[in-house]
Amino acid sequence: MSIVTITRNQATFLPTTINSVLSAKIQDLQYVIYDAASTDGTPGIATSIQDERVTYLRRHDRGPADGLNYAFDLVEGEVVGYINGDDFYLPNALEWIVSYFSR
């Protein structure tokens, strides 16, 4: 499973988003955090993550769709999802999704 977070200047909310993804107990999780050149604390938060499942990208883009498509081109999971940098998954949400697609 691959999850993409797109964010820009959402440092206040980003730790909750990241924790909601990384707390999932699923195998082969790939997590891409795409930062559209934030000017707040977002880069510091993202680069402080010491988890091999996480890839952090930072670049200027032409809007959210451009950033999302760029990040989606890099993922490898059979099941792909995204979450904005100011949202979060409920506990076990990703596990439920994996289970659903496995059936």
Side-chain angles (χ1 to χ4, degrees):
M1 169 175 250
S2 298
I3 300 294
V4 170
T5 291
I6 57 173
T7 189
R8 184 164 197 279
N9 294 333
Q10 295 175 317
T12 302
F13 310 104
L14 193 57
T16 300
T17 304
I18 292 168
N19 289 333
S20 78
V21 174
L22 294 180
S23 67
K25 294 170 180 60
I26 57 175
Q27 294 180 351
D28 301 323
L29 175 66
Q30 176 189 24
Y31 185 32
V32 175
I33 301 171
Y34 176 92
D35 175 14
S38 293
T39 58
D40 64 357
T42 296
I45 293 167
T47 57
S48 71
I49 301 168
Q50 301 297 312
D51 192 314
E52 64 186 24
R53 301 173 294 174
V54 177
T55 301
Y56 173 62
L57 307 170
R58 177 180 163 83
R59 70 186 269 271
H60 291 278
D61 60 30
R62 291 169 282 167
D66 178 45
L68 191 59
N69 287 327
Y70 183 88
F72 276 159
D73 283 343
L74 303 174
V75 299
E76 300 171 358
E78 288 184 38
V79 177
V80 176
Y82 83 96
I83 184 168
N84 290 319
D86 61 349
D87 292 327
F88 62 91
Y89 289 118
L90 293 174
N92 301 312
L94 296 178
E95 290 87 345
W96 186 89
I97 292 167
V98 169
S99 173
Y100 179 85
F101 278 98
S102 293
R103 290 181 290 207

